Amino acid sequence: DVKVTQSSRYLVKRTGEKVFLECVQDMDHENMFWYRQDPGLGLRLIYFSYDVKMKEKGDIPEGYSVSREKKERFSLILESASTNQTSMYLCASIGGLADFYNEQFFGPGTRLTVL
Amino acid sequence: ELKVEQNPLFLSMQEGKNYTIYCNYSTTSDRLYWYRQDPGKSLESLFVLLSNGAVKQEGRLMASLDTKARLSTLHITAAVHDLSATYFCAVRAGANSKLTFGKGITLSVRP
């Protein structure tokens, strides 16, 4: 079965803390994504990675960084958490363009609260 | 810039009746995806539509794609409470696998 896993389902952090959100996929997918989802704003892309050590900014990268040292793992880092980063964070992965079906799968999500 | 629009944003459905929701997109694409999201949960893949005229069905849901009109429809047959959820469409365009999502349509089925 296809699997995208995220390190935590719920996380509570304090303002100013450094926060790591981990995502692992077991499908050998080239592409991985981090989104945040807020009521009324839909899904917004934070960063994506199309290969190991490669990353590209999405629509709202400010206040975030990412790391992809291995193909299966994509980490989202909040350098100094702020209350406006309280959100649901969703990780996703998808194969490359050579993957005919090219279906994107999502992890279960991490609900982060910053106090 | 690719834009994906879904309408309506909210739909109250009566049990047993049929409904159609829509997804429009602004540029040429070769893939359209439908996802379902239950409250507090992640997105679950429903359909991947790969070509013009593609039609896929799963239970009471049927999705179709018209690439010339840049339109996908999701038809709901005889709505039941279990279908209450938010439905997103997403489109792939460009040289990478990045998807652009619509804002989602929240369906609520009432008795």
Side-chain angles (χ1 to χ4, degrees):
Chain A
D1 223 14
V2 156
K3 278 284 190 291
V4 180
T5 57
Q6 294 182 228
S7 50
S8 305
R9 295 297 300 273
Y10 300 93
L11 209 51
V12 179
K13 295 292 181 182
R14 299 222 172 261
T15 302
E17 279 193 78
K18 192 168 185 175
V19 182
F20 293 86
L21 303 182
E22 303 280 336
C23 175
V24 177
Q25 50 95 4
D26 65 358
M27 295 163 282
D28 202 35
H29 281 168
E30 287 87 350
N31 303 282
M32 296 185 75
F33 304 82
W34 276 106
Y35 299 89
R36 67 177 279 179
Q37 186 177 27
D38 302 285
L41 297 177
L43 266 74
R44 292 183 290 169
L45 181 64
I46 305 170
Y47 267 98
F48 68 101
S49 167
Y50 51 89
D51 203 348
V52 175
K53 295 194 189 293
M54 307 300 283
K55 61 187 179 187
E56 282 201 26
K57 292 180 181 179
D59 302 317
I60 51 161
E62 296 79 20
Y64 303 93
S65 61
V66 289
S67 171
R68 191 155 180 215
E69 296 296 319
K70 292 186 177 181
K71 191 175 186 181
E72 67 269 19
R73 188 179 297 267
F74 191 33
S75 302
L76 179 70
I77 302 150
L78 287 66
E79 297 290 343
S80 176
S82 64
T83 54
N84 63 14
Q85 292 178 310
T86 292
S87 187
M88 169 73 105
Y89 289 87
L90 295 166
C91 173
S93 76
I94 190 170
L97 294 176
D99 174 358
F100 178 76
Y101 210 57
N102 211 219
E103 190 169 356
Q104 180 165 297
F105 297 95
F106 282 83
T110 296
R111 186 164 293 283
L112 172 67
T113 302
V114 183
L115 301 175
Chain B
E1 180 193 343
L2 172 60
K3 290 192 190 311
V4 180
E5 291 186 357
Q6 293 186 249
N7 61 80
L9 292 184
F10 180 83
L11 183 60
S12 178
M13 305 189 292
Q14 192 170 350
E15 243 178 12
K17 294 206 166 177
N18 301 336
Y19 295 87
T20 300
I21 60 176
Y22 301 92
C23 173
N24 290 88
Y25 54 98
S26 60
T27 63
T28 302
S29 172
D30 63 348
R31 295 280 188 281
L32 190 134
Y33 303 78
W34 282 98
Y35 290 88
R36 170 187 170 132
Q37 186 179 37
D38 293 296
K41 301 286 179 68
S42 187
L43 276 72
E44 173 193 353
S45 179
L46 290 174
F47 302 109
V48 182
L49 301 169
L50 301 178
S51 60
N52 189 44
V55 177
K56 290 214 173 162
Q57 182 157 8
E58 179 78 32
R60 298 174 188 274
L61 300 178
M62 184 173 73
S64 64
L65 178 61
D66 180 343
T67 56
K68 291 178 183 161
R70 296 178 188 161
L71 171 69
S72 179
T73 59
L74 184 65
H75 186 73
I76 298 138
T77 301
V80 293
H81 180 71
D82 282 354
L83 292 179
S84 297
T86 299
Y87 293 81
F88 291 90
C89 66
V91 173
R92 186 186 87 175
N96 57 42
S97 292
K98 194 172 85 159
L99 302 188
T100 299
F101 284 81
K103 289 271 197 295
I105 297 175
T106 298
L107 304 184
S108 175
V109 181
R110 64 185 190 278

